[in-house]
Amino acid sequence: MNRLWVRLTLAFVAVTLVGAGTVAALVDWQAGNQFRQYLARQNSIAQSGLLEELAAFYQREGDWDGVAAVFADFVMPRGSGQGAGGAGRGRPPFILADAIGLVVYDERGERVGGELTNDERANALLVAVNGDTVGYLVLGVSGQGAGALAPAEQSFLDQLRLTLVIAALAAGGLGILLGVIISWSLAAPLARVAQAARAFAGRKWDQRVSVSGAATREVADVAKAFNDMADSLQRAETLRRNLMADIAHELRTPLTVLQGNLRALLDGVYPLELSEVATLYDETRLLNRLVDDLRELSLAEAGQLLLNLQATDVRALLQTAAASFAPVAETQSVSLALEVSDGLPLANTDPDRLAQVVRNLLSNALRHTPGGGKVTVFASIEQKMIRVVVADTGDGTPADELPRVFDRFYRGDKSRARASGGSGLGLAIAKTWVAAMGGEIGVESEPGRGSRFWFTAPVAK
C-alpha cells in the first residue's frame, strides 16, 4: 500500500466516487424537488376554493349528478404552477368520490363507479357540508396516494435513478481505469530511476536512466539529476582507481630500492657503510615527502585545509623565493630574474601556502630549463587580482599534454623527473591551494619556446 502508483490510484478512485456520488445526489435531489412541487400543487388546489365550490354544489343539488360542470369551469389560480382546468394541461387529473367512496367523477372517465382505496381516502381532500363529509377529492389516479406519483411518472423517476446508478458505475470504472493508467505512467519512470540506482550501487558504472518525451518535467529533472550524479561518481571512481594505481606505482620505486639495498646489506653484497645508509635514508625522505604531499592534497580537495589568510607582501615573498633558488640556478647555468610592477598591493592569501606554490613553480621551471636558459618571475595587478607568472625558456609542453599538466603524478619527462626526486604532485598541490585561496592557475606553452605558468591571488582590502 506504500507504493506511489497505489496511492495515486486510490486518490483517483476516491475523487471519481465522490464526483459521481455528488452528481447522483444532486440529480436525485432535483427529482425529489420536482416531486415536492407536485405535492405542492395538491395543497394549492386545497386553497384554490374548489372544495368550497364542490360543497356548495352538493348542498344545492343534494347529490353529485352534473358535478362535471364544476370541474369544467374550474381554473387553477395564478402562481400555483398549474394551467387551466382539464387533464393533461399542467396537472394530474381530478377524481371525486361520494361519502362512501364510490367514484362519481373521473376526469379521464376511467374509474366512475369504482371505489377509492384506503390509501386514497387517507390522503384525499375532504368535501364537507355542515361538518359532514360528502365527498373525497383525489389528485392522481387509482392506487396512488396524495403524495405518490402516477405509474408512468414513477417509472420515469425509477428509470432516471437507475440511469444515474449505471452512469455512476460507468464513470467510476472509467475513472479507476484511467487512474491506474495515469498512476502507473507517473510511477514507472521513478521505478526505472530506482532500478538504475540499485544497478549503479552494484558497481555497474555505465548505468543511466533514459528520459522519454512523455515523462513529466519533474520526473525528467530527477532522471537528469541521477545521470549527472552517475557521471560525476563514475569520473570520481575512475580518478580513484587511477590515484591508487599512481600511488602504488610511485611507492614501488623507493620501496624496491630500500628492499634491494637492505637485502644486499644482509647478504653481505654491500658493506655496512654510512654511504649505503645515506642512500636508504634518502629513499625514506622521498617516501615521507610523497605521503605528506598526498595528505595535503586530500585535505585541500576535501575542503579541510586550514588556511591562514592575511595581507601578504607578494613582492617580498617573490624576492625571498628567488633568492633561495639563485644558487640552484647558478649551478645549472640558468639566469633567474624577477620583474615586479611598481605599487603592487598586498594580497589576501596564506603566505606559507603561497610561498610553497611559488617554490613549486620555480622548481618545475628550473628542472625543465637547460643550461644557458632563463627563468623570469613577473608580478602585476589585473582587475583587483595580483597575477604572478613564472616563465622559462625550456622545451615547452605539447598542446595535447597541457590539459594534464596539473594532474596527479603527471610528468612530461618521467625519467628526468624521477632522477631529480620529484613526486609528480607539485603542480596538482599548487592548483588546489591557489583555488582554495580564491585564485586561478594555468599554463601557456609551445614546444621549443618554453612555458609560462601563472596564478592569481585576490588583493587584500
Side-chain angles (χ1 to χ4, degrees):
M1 293 296 292
N2 200 27
R3 303 294 296 273
L4 176 61
W5 72 270
V6 174
R7 291 191 174 188
L8 288 174
T9 300
L10 293 178
F12 278 112
V13 170
V15 171
T16 300
L17 293 179
V18 170
T22 301
V23 172
L26 289 175
V27 175
D28 187 67
W29 173 83
Q30 181 65 19
N33 186 50
Q34 294 297 324
F35 176 71
R36 285 191 295 273
Q37 291 182 11
Y38 170 78
L39 294 180
R41 286 195 294 268
Q42 183 166 337
N43 294 332
S44 178
I45 292 173
Q47 300 172 5
S48 66
L50 178 58
L51 294 178
E52 288 75 6
E53 293 184 18
L54 291 174
F57 175 85
Y58 186 87
Q59 187 175 14
R60 184 175 62 252
E61 300 295 334
D63 55 29
W64 293 112
D65 292 340
V67 75
V70 178
F71 289 100
D73 295 337
F74 174 73
V75 178
M76 288 292 294
R78 190 178 295 274
S80 63
Q82 307 295 332
R89 300 183 63 185
R91 60 171 174 79
F94 287 120
I95 298 175
L96 180 64
D98 60 14
I100 62 174
L102 293 177
V103 177
V104 296
Y105 174 80
D106 181 356
E107 198 166 18
R108 295 184 302 183
E110 296 179 355
R111 297 184 59 188
V112 177
E115 293 184 5
L116 295 180
T117 64
N118 292 333
D119 289 338
E120 286 177 325
R121 287 192 183 190
N123 295 288
L125 299 175
L126 300 180
V127 181
V129 175
N130 298 325
D132 296 327
T133 301
V134 297
Y136 299 92
L137 179 63
V138 178
L139 182 63
V141 294
S142 178
Q144 302 298 323
L149 298 176
E153 295 169 334
Q154 185 64 47
S155 176
F156 170 78
L157 185 59
D158 294 340
Q159 186 64 36
L160 176 62
R161 289 174 174 169
L162 179 61
T163 303
L164 288 176
V165 172
I166 295 175
L169 293 176
L174 182 60
I176 293 173
L177 178 61
L178 292 178
V180 172
I181 295 175
I182 295 175
S183 301
W184 180 251
S185 65
L186 291 175
L190 296 179
R192 288 196 293 269
V193 173
Q195 183 180 4
R198 287 190 290 269
F200 197 85
R203 297 184 177 274
K204 294 183 179 179
W205 307 115
D206 59 343
Q207 188 70 37
R208 297 295 184 273
V209 180
S210 60
V211 182
S212 62
T216 62
R217 179 178 298 179
E218 291 77 8
V219 174
D221 289 342
V222 172
K224 185 177 182 300
F226 173 83
N227 291 338
D228 293 341
M229 178 201 68
D231 293 339
S232 178
L233 290 177
Q234 187 174 16
R235 287 193 297 269
E237 176 64 16
T238 302
L239 291 176
R240 185 190 68 82
R241 291 179 179 179
N242 293 340
L243 176 61
M244 296 302 294
D246 291 339
I247 293 175
H249 178 75
E250 294 299 324
L251 292 177
R252 186 182 298 113
T253 299
L255 288 176
T256 300
V257 173
L258 284 172
Q259 184 178 9
N261 288 356
L262 288 173
R263 174 56 61 183
L265 289 174
L266 291 174
D267 294 342
V269 177
Y270 294 154
L272 185 59
E273 298 178 352
L274 291 179
S275 59
E276 295 298 330
V277 176
T279 300
L280 297 177
Y281 177 71
D282 289 339
E283 294 298 327
T284 60
R285 291 180 58 193
L286 176 60
L287 284 173
N288 186 68
R289 184 167 68 250
L290 179 61
V291 172
D292 288 342
D293 289 346
L294 286 172
R295 178 177 176 275
E296 293 285 341
L297 189 59
S298 62
L299 287 176
E301 291 182 343
Q304 299 178 355
L305 183 66
L306 297 179
L307 296 175
N308 181 24
L309 298 178
Q310 56 183 282
T312 304
D313 188 349
V314 178
R315 177 190 294 270
L317 186 148
L318 294 178
Q319 290 174 344
T320 301
S324 65
F325 277 89
V328 179
E330 184 178 357
T331 301
Q332 298 179 197
S333 300
V334 175
S335 174
L336 179 59
L338 179 62
E339 298 182 12
V340 181
S341 300
D342 295 333
L344 191 70
L346 301 179
N348 183 37
T349 64
D350 185 325
D352 295 334
R353 306 289 183 184
L354 190 65
Q356 182 62 38
V357 171
V358 174
R359 287 195 293 269
N360 285 345
L361 295 182
L362 282 174
S363 175
N364 182 72
L366 290 172
R367 186 182 302 123
H368 293 86
T369 302
K374 182 179 182 179
V375 174
T376 306
V377 180
F378 303 91
S380 60
I381 178 71
E382 294 183 3
Q383 299 180 351
K384 297 183 179 181
M385 298 290 288
I386 296 176
R387 182 182 177 91
V388 178
V389 180
V390 179
D392 63 63
T393 58
D395 296 334
T397 304
D400 59 337
E401 295 183 5
L402 284 178
R404 301 176 55 198
V405 166
F406 294 98
D407 290 348
R408 298 185 184 96
F409 302 113
Y410 174 77
R411 295 189 182 95
D413 186 346
K414 297 179 175 58
S415 60
R416 183 168 58 183
R418 281 203 184 91
S420 59
S423 66
L425 292 173
L427 292 179
I429 292 175
K431 179 180 179 181
T432 306
W433 283 357
V434 169
M437 292 185 290
E440 296 180 352
I441 193 170
V443 60
E444 302 166 359
S445 181
E446 293 182 15
R449 302 187 62 179
S451 301
R452 291 171 58 88
F453 284 86
W454 57 268
F455 68 88
T456 59
V459 174
K461 296 182 180 180

